Each structure stands twice: as C-alpha cells, then as structure tokens.
C-alpha cells in the first residue's frame, strides 16, 4: 500500500525518485496531460525502504534495472494538481541503469505499465531551466551532480 494519506484538503505523499545522468542529459518523466516534468520514481509503500522503492518503480515503469550510486537528499514539496493540494516528502537518489544497452540516449520512450500519459525524456542539463520541473530544487541537484561527476572525471585523469 502506497504511503499517500488524505488530511483535510491536503494529500500527503511519501515518494522516492532518482536522478540518472548520461552525457550531460538527465532522465525526466512528463505527464502529457500537463506541462509538468518530474524525476522518475513513485510512492513508497508502507514498510518499504526508499532505495527499494526507486528500484521497483523504475523496473515497473521502464522495464529496466538500476543501481544506486548515491543519495542526493530529502525534499519537501508543496504543489496543487487537479484541484488537490499536495504535501510531498521525496527521497532523491542518484542512479544508473544496470545494463549498458539501457543507457542508450533514446530521446523519448514510453511507460511499459500502460500509463500512456507518461513519457520519459532525456533533457540536456544546460537547458533544464526551460522545463517546468517539480520540485524546482531538483534542477539545482542535477546541476550539482553533473559538476561533481566532472570533477571526479578530472581527478581520475
């Protein structure tokens, strides 16, 4: 059972998400019914660690396995959607597709669960400010992760 609780005129969600970056692009998902983008992920189930949630959600939604490479932080997010106010607690992990062939930068692809309204896109991080990404702090986390990866690569050279 997902941790999603209605309290008065709010819905409290506990969510787990992942930042996956390849070649200066970040994987986002978009709800085609809106102009809103999100980090891939989903609601945490009761008794499920957020690390397990994100692995399960990516496997369910994309049919691909991921490995987690780090933890970016916990974000508190407030927004409205379809007339409902949301208070969301989101655990943001860093990850990578497990199989090399899953890392291919196909520009867009669909949800394998049959949620036709969800589309996944590789977005250039240099242009991320042009997208309505929620929570907005995810933009800064993605830019920081990209910078840290560049520093690590330079240190190895």
């Amino acid at each position: 059972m997902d941790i999603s609780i209605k309290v008065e005129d709010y819905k409290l969600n506990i969510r787990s998400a992942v930042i996956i970056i390849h070649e200066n692009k970040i994987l986002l998902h978009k709800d085609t019914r809106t102009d809103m983008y999100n980090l891939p992920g989903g609601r945490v189930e009761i008794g499920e660690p957020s690390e397990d949630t994100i692995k399960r959600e990516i496997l369910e939604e994309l049919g691909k396995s991921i490995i987690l490479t780090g933890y970016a932080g916990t974000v508190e997010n407030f927004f409205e959607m379809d007339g409902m106010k949301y208070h969301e607690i989101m655990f943001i992990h860093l990850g990578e597709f497990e199989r090399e062939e899953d890392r291919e930068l196909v520009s867009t692809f669909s949800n394998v669960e049959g949620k036709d309204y969800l589309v996944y896109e590789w977005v250039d991080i240099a242009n991320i400010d042009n997208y309505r990404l929620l929570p907005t702090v995810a933009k800064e986390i993605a830019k920081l992760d990209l910078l840290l990866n560049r520093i690590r690569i330079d240190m190895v050279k």
Side-chain angles (χ1 to χ4, degrees):
M1 172 181 262
D2 292 343
I3 303 176
S4 185
I5 305 163
K6 191 163 192 286
V7 180
E8 296 177 9
D9 59 341
Y10 275 89
K11 191 175 234 184
L12 172 67
N13 281 337
I14 308 298
R15 189 169 186 273
S16 186
V18 65
I19 292 177
I20 299 174
I21 296 177
H22 286 296
E23 299 176 18
N24 300 328
K25 294 183 185 290
I26 183 171
L27 183 64
L28 301 178
H29 82 240
K30 181 182 189 314
D31 183 333
T32 59
R33 302 169 296 184
T34 71
D35 64 344
M36 187 169 55
Y37 286 80
N38 296 98
L39 296 172
R43 290 189 183 104
V44 175
E45 292 181 355
I46 199 79
E48 179 182 50
S50 66
E51 297 91 346
D52 294 347
T53 299
I54 195 58
K55 290 176 182 179
R56 174 183 54 77
E57 287 287 344
I58 297 301
L59 188 60
E60 288 174 358
E61 294 179 4
L62 299 176
K64 301 173 190 294
S65 296
I66 62 167
I67 54 172
L68 298 181
T69 59
Y71 184 71
T74 305
V75 174
E76 188 172 29
N77 189 21
F78 296 90
F79 61 96
E80 284 191 39
M81 188 170 65
D82 299 330
M84 175 68 74
K85 294 182 208 172
Y86 286 82
H87 182 168
E88 184 173 75
I89 308 298
M90 183 185 309
F91 302 100
I92 301 177
H93 298 274
L94 306 174
E96 185 65 69
F97 288 115
E98 193 171 329
R99 297 176 0 178
E100 189 65 38
E101 56 267 25
D102 291 338
R103 297 176 186 178
E104 205 173 302
L105 292 175
V106 177
S107 59
T108 63
F109 44 100
S110 301
N111 177 289
V112 298
E113 289 180 297
K115 294 178 182 173
D116 296 335
Y117 59 90
L118 283 183
V119 179
Y120 299 82
E121 296 180 29
W122 288 104
V123 171
D124 192 323
I125 292 178
N127 299 326
I128 201 167
D129 290 329
N130 299 331
Y131 292 82
R132 186 171 172 232
L133 174 60
L134 296 178
T136 55
V137 72
K139 293 177 182 182
E140 301 311 313
I141 293 169
K143 290 175 194 175
L144 180 60
D145 184 53
L146 179 64
L147 177 63
L148 291 173
N149 278 331
R150 285 182 180 159
I151 291 169
R152 280 192 286 274
I153 289 168
D154 288 343
M155 289 175 68
V156 170
K157 289 180 183 177

